[in-house]
Amino acid sequence: MKLGCCYYPEHWPEDIWVDDARRMKDIGLSQVRIGEFAWSRIEPEPGRYDWAWLDRAIDTLDNVGLEIILGTPTATPPKWLVDSMPDMIAIDADGNPRNFGSRRHYCFSHLNYRKECERIVTALAERYGNHPAIVAWQTDNEYGCHDTIVSYSESAKLAFRKWLAEKYADVGALNIAWGNIFWSMEYRNFAEIDPPNLTVTEPNPSHVLDYRRFASDEVVSFNKLQVDILRARSPGRDMIHNYMGFFTEFNHHKVGQDLDVASWDSYPLGFLEQFWFSDEEKLRYARQGHPDIAAFHHDLYRGCCTGGRWSVMEQQPGPVNWARYNPAPLDGIVRLWTLEAMAHGAELVSYFRWRQAPFAQEQMHAGLLRPDNEEAQGAVEARQVAREIALLETANNGQKSVAIIFAYEAAWLFETQPQGQSFRYIELVFEMYSALRQLGLNVDIVSHEADLSGYKMIVAPSLPILSSAFVDKIKALAVPILFGPRTGSKTADFQIPAELPPGALQDVLPLKIKRVQSLRPGLTEKGDDHDVSRWIEDVETDLVPSETLVDERGILFGKNGVNYLAAWPSQKLLRRIFMKMASDADVGICELPRDLRLRSLGDLQFAFNHGIEALSLSDLNLASAATEFLIGEENLPSAGVAVWRRQIESQNRA
Amino acid sequence: MKLGCCYYPEHWPEDIWVDDARRMKDIGLSQVRIGEFAWSRIEPEPGRYDWAWLDRAIDTLDNVGLEIILGTPTATPPKWLVDSMPDMIAIDADGNPRNFGSRRHYCFSHLNYRKECERIVTALAERYGNHPAIVAWQTDNEYGCHDTIVSYSESAKLAFRKWLAEKYADVGALNIAWGNIFWSMEYRNFAEIDPPNLTVTEPNPSHVLDYRRFASDEVVSFNKLQVDILRARSPGRDMIHNYMGFFTEFNHHKVGQDLDVASWDSYPLGFLEQFWFSDEEKLRYARQGHPDIAAFHHDLYRGCCTGGRWSVMEQQPGPVNWARYNPAPLDGIVRLWTLEAMAHGAELVSYFRWRQAPFAQEQMHAGLLRPDNEEAQGAVEARQVAREIALLETANNGQKSVAIIFAYEAAWLFETQPQGQSFRYIELVFEMYSALRQLGLNVDIVSHEADLSGYKMIVAPSLPILSSAFVDKIKALAVPILFGPRTGSKTADFQIPAELPPGALQDVLPLKIKRVQSLRPGLTEKGDDHDVSRWIEDVETDLVPSETLVDERGILFGKNGVNYLAAWPSQKLLRRIFMKMASDADVGICELPRDLRLRSLGDLQFAFNHGIEALSLSDLNLASAATEFLIGEENLPSAGVAVWRRQIESQNRA
Amino acid sequence: MKLGCCYYPEHWPEDIWVDDARRMKDIGLSQVRIGEFAWSRIEPEPGRYDWAWLDRAIDTLDNVGLEIILGTPTATPPKWLVDSMPDMIAIDADGNPRNFGSRRHYCFSHLNYRKECERIVTALAERYGNHPAIVAWQTDNEYGCHDTIVSYSESAKLAFRKWLAEKYADVGALNIAWGNIFWSMEYRNFAEIDPPNLTVTEPNPSHVLDYRRFASDEVVSFNKLQVDILRARSPGRDMIHNYMGFFTEFNHHKVGQDLDVASWDSYPLGFLEQFWFSDEEKLRYARQGHPDIAAFHHDLYRGCCTGGRWSVMEQQPGPVNWARYNPAPLDGIVRLWTLEAMAHGAELVSYFRWRQAPFAQEQMHAGLLRPDNEEAQGAVEARQVAREIALLETANNGQKSVAIIFAYEAAWLFETQPQGQSFRYIELVFEMYSALRQLGLNVDIVSHEADLSGYKMIVAPSLPILSSAFVDKIKALAVPILFGPRTGSKTADFQIPAELPPGALQDVLPLKIKRVQSLRPGLTEKGDDHDVSRWIEDVETDLVPSETLVDERGILFGKNGVNYLAAWPSQKLLRRIFMKMASDADVGICELPRDLRLRSLGDLQFAFNHGIEALSLSDLNLASAATEFLIGEENLPSAGVAVWRRQIESQNRA
């Protein structure tokens, strides 16, 4: 695994570039991402390119042997470009413009903006496509950041109508698919259809779902436009985009099909603070992030490109600027995050950013260097971990253990019609992921279209749109599989299946969901040693349940290894279900304490202590006096990492 | 009482209509509401009517003897109509359009939309006005749903100016009535006056109150336009509109003057979840609804039409889709709700809806049938209760007991200028209603313009605009009457009366409110065994108070049976006040446990257990071994209902 | 000190004016503010002035010897004026207009509205400039009330570009100052620059800060326009504006440079309810206001005009109408507030308002008189305190004790980039002020540009933009000084200083802030007997800390009396720090109980009991049997005030 950083030569006086490059090497970095926000310097006026500074920047980095990932600058079109076509900006759901003055001020559907992107990307690719230092391209930057996927502009409206006409051909088919008769919402032609915003009450959910699919497809084609240009002009380089955390607004699997490497931007502390975690978790993990946040995304994005190549393009190196509260990471945790990425198979961990900028929006975002050019804590840990990584040879033996099925459309669907406001798809997936990881398991998070052969256990936290083809596929697998609540609850058109949920799953599991209930906080259903909250389903079946509530209602039903969970589960219940499945699948598990996580890669075994108390691996029977540690030792301090060869694994997990 | 359902033949393949009709009859339903969202099928293109399908639908229902309530489809104008006059949509307070894509996308003041409504209603009336199966018409659907009463469109602005010119004739009179001199808000002519939105800070409350009166009057005239057409072309049929729960945006009493039957849409679980109830209540009654929610509206809407005719047009039969959380009703509670409506004198309980739709916005709203055409729990209970109702002969002997005075203007007034954010009119009325009901009393909720003769006790929770005529009326009644806080606190122009509150009430009760206070949660004033919270008034009077705080300040003052309560009361205080009034009025009361409610109708006595624990009527001295139950028995299980003849009532309540 | 009231003759029938004037005198008032909302009566139609009524009103007041403060009516332009130039209204950050219908419906940058203001102010000044009863002018009313300082109108945009061009001359300089390269935000000319609203994510903070400086400067010039006209035509009269509470949207120090007297509008109960105070404080002080609210503003606004002249232009006399909850003041507290203003050196306390208006927006706002013309509690207390004031001769000996440095730009800066959402500048200042006041100290709150000589202790709660000139100034003072967190953390351009925070302070205090952290509620750092919450900084220094956490990290560092506090402090920590500083400065302190406050003025010592329990001054060693009280006595009841000559002070505070 390589280390790198995100660097903005245009932010700094040229006379310090040479020293910057030298110091990067000295710390142990080998790759640098540059260029993704530099349009106003590359093309300061319409049609006048200024390559000279970028030539020099690239050469300066190249001169010390740094490899370069060059970003296309399309996330930040300059003011002159926006002023030349003011309608290129996106429009929000309230009808307000999302103007120039920060970044991502464009609508994916604006055809002339796409032409401008073609032009600038072509110019860049032609200039640098064959430069030996350029090893990869990053398209744009963080598609969707600041809620920028869905736009309600005139451009988007026209593109949506076209998208619908292509999908449905006949508006009558659309009326049926959407159930437009419901409230006299029938259209006579595609030109009558508007985006689903500013309606009196909620719009038709099928309308919304198609709009989100359309918006996602716009991202796919926008990205592909750039990739096609770059591949043609810069052969042999990797195509990369940097995804974000807990972000589901577009289909990353589809975008990933056009990339070589999926990368993501890892900010564990900011994500903990900004997402749904409890106050208790936000305090406990304030300086580490929840133990599963980074790993979850590593495993998710590893599933986004064919071949499973992935990287961390931006790694938090200190306090960030954008969460409500921004504490400093625990000393040592930047090193832990880096080794954790390695354990999950990253090709690169690139710290964001080289030096903290003293100006503009992110001036309070830490870098490896402080604004006064001294090393910040991030640099100290990067230097240490660079040495440690060098000691470890990793080879992923392609071993498959547990797969989680992840579907972007599921997120859109439950957001469109949650039916209970605490039903959050990404949280449900995360809960199941976390329960698996607390059993010491390696997890892959993959699309339902992925090859599932070889996995010993499969978990689909919820797969509301479930095709017969998928059911056939899992039938053939003959491994324990769990489907979570609301699986098979909708058709592809966002309707309830004629046979009732779980739809096509009834082929293998004879049960019907006859009624569902969402439960306000505090309203729970009692199980033996756990509570069901948020969501519960009434099941009609002759099957004998494998988990019941104290009132004997079944909440888990299985047949031939295929299981359906008819409730939002607690961690306690999940642990029991997964232990049973693992036992059935003959997968070794290891019940871990709350703050410890394991990951194996090839023959290496990694252990990570995300807590503030020390843990002893031998007390946990994870290591013994005989263990030869490549990194760390039996006693794992706060933020500590241990790595050893997996000789003991067979014993321990048998 | 009849049972019915809401049916949408246009949502289903024609080949199942016959079976649907047969099954409705089989369950015990006799009326069906149809048509209210079907404009796009009745008139698929401008001016081209398609009656054939509707003819067949009506005949299919008629053929098995079902009576039909036909809805006018004006709540869902088709897209082609909206596109033909885009300014027909309403504009919200922020100036945003409320576009096509769901329902109720029109402004009541748009003159050309009114013409379109005239046209479609005339066409329907001419087609079906004399069809023998048509027994009633429903105008539009749920006026005001999704906050659609008040619009800030150009049409509304012009209509408002006209309304003001008619009311005030001279703009100088308006300036004085509104007190426009206050901040140089004086107008020189009516054409200078805008709707009261988008002002820098709060607009003049008199301006707001007149705007709300205007908006309410627009609903009245919109409804009357349809009723006049229908009465002329469909003689002998009932004119009905379906009102909603806890909804006060327009004057239902005024609309009711043009109707024959007031109906309402009863969703006890959704209302509990969405309104002001405490978390404790939301959990305790999650699957039943608060025991007074349905009854409150039954008694309110019984007071909305001359003659007191009323129905439940939509009855929740299972989980709904529109609350934040949507649990399932307790088994048996749909039956309870149905019998409760009967006990309060309903003519019809119509379940919404026949079959759960598998598509569009309300696909998660339960029906009597599931989407797979099997009977849901609602159908099971409807079938049972249909049999039970058949056993009961009811005749309302017109007996009057307690009247609550309800004023829609009071709601608007306190929303416009709450003075303390916890002062909610509808909640205050509900609290007083609930306290009366917990004493086992039958309550009528009526307008201040209603005939009050014959009532033994009268409660006006608050009547801020109090005319001398009303004071004269109550003077003549000579029964105990309670006026709540802020009664008489405003003139009709929304000014403080010259003589101070309670204004004209001072004629019969010599006291003045010299100062009022609103209290934040936690700030209370101590009474002997109760606390005053939210609101308290300083009273200037020579009267000796009949209730005081521990510091001896009076909070209840009375003279000749007329009482004024100078504080927001607790349930404890209300119970004591009402017991005293009942004793003075010689009205028998029965202190009920929290979850039990009684209602008598003619010579029938009903008891309802809204709790999850069983209750014994004989323990409560409500029944004895000698009681012959028509329904139920002494022991009332959770969701249980008992009905018996009132022989014991005289003893018990003497 | 004089007493007065705010009076609106135009609100009342002329036949009661004479009686009103007589009663004002009778109560003990000597000044009356009039006219500030009367434009529609002064100029009922474009160009037609009606002076007659105002002549009579002024003469009526003058006839009984009342002095008049005449307001310019520019906060309430009439409808005809707005209709003549609809673009004069301000536009909010969402792009919505802020229309006519209440008040303050104008944009400070609209050039033609400025011309209209010139015209009406000139007309008023020419009419009344030399009237002997007119002793002062109030410009406009409460600049900024209802969030009206910053407007995003077209007028504002053009004026901003002009302001920028004047400040930067060259757009390249602006690009560098703002760091526009960051996200390709570079401009090619000033005409490309828009206001910083409706951007996709947060705009450049330098852009925002300049916009707020611009908006503040617009207020300064708007005010100066009026003052210049008035001074020229009404020589010898005081120029006054009435500022508000906890309001920092414009630079009051700059506006104050053009005024003779800074006045403010004191509503302690409303401010307590509406601002950041804890629930515990909101209940404890519900009827008094927090003990430091009024005093804080007295001391703040005393620092706003050269010469330190200040007044209370509007004093809450009873419940207000505009807070979420509006309880009544404790009996006696209006008197306390009045004497407290005197103790802090006010020239005038003017009650708002003479008589409660029965109409329009503020009809629930108490006056000295009730709407029925009887005296309300406020009048009773005003009458009493008028007599008491007459007994006290005050002379401010100009004695200086403790100075707090207050910077409006600091508030804007931390709002623009809080970095932790609990970092509120005004709250930090208030906390430090309160800690000082609880030590019995007299405090002046002054601009960093004020003359600081003579102060014995200086506290700068935070001074993020710190010039070398200021550092030189404090170096010369040689008194204990405390700088709070984030001092020196930014350059004037809103960048991090090259030498890191605290920037120029490093000249006198050799330390660097190498990292900052914001902490969510509950995340604290332990000190010996206190907790650090919200904010903590990592300090790089060789200095030995004078306060440390239990883990030995330093949070307070000092050298030669200059101290830097690297954390958000608790009251406990502040008390310890200030006691040490006071001891070093040889300033006598007196540790007060929570509800008691002291203030000395000349040789008078005042004590105020803001609690609901009585306090004994002798128990506190503040008074003795020998003390001769001018007002009050040893035993200070709830809301009680005592005044005596300071003979004991020297003993007590030695």
Side-chain angles (χ1 to χ4, degrees), chain A residues 37 40-41 79 99 326 363, chain C residues 184 186 192 198 490 518:
Chain A
F37 297 131
S40 73
R41 284 290 162 91
K79 188 59 162 41
N99 286 333
N326 298 293
Q363 57 186 268
Chain C
S184 273
E186 294 172 302
E192 283 185 343
L198 291 173
K490 301 294 163 184
S518 52

Side-chain angles (χ1 to χ4, degrees), chain A residues 95-112:
Chain A
N96 288 324
R98 308 195 66 192
N99 286 333
F100 183 90
S102 56
R103 59 177 180 174
R104 302 209 57 70
H105 37 278
Y106 70 85
C107 175
F108 282 98
S109 301
H110 195 273
L111 298 180
N112 282 326

Side-chain angles (χ1 to χ4, degrees), chain B residues 87 129 169 321 325 369 387 405 504 526 540 646:
Chain B
D87 65 349
N321 64 304
Y325 301 97
L369 303 191
R387 283 194 306 264
I405 311 292
K526 296 281 164 213
E540 187 172 274
R646 299 173 70 195

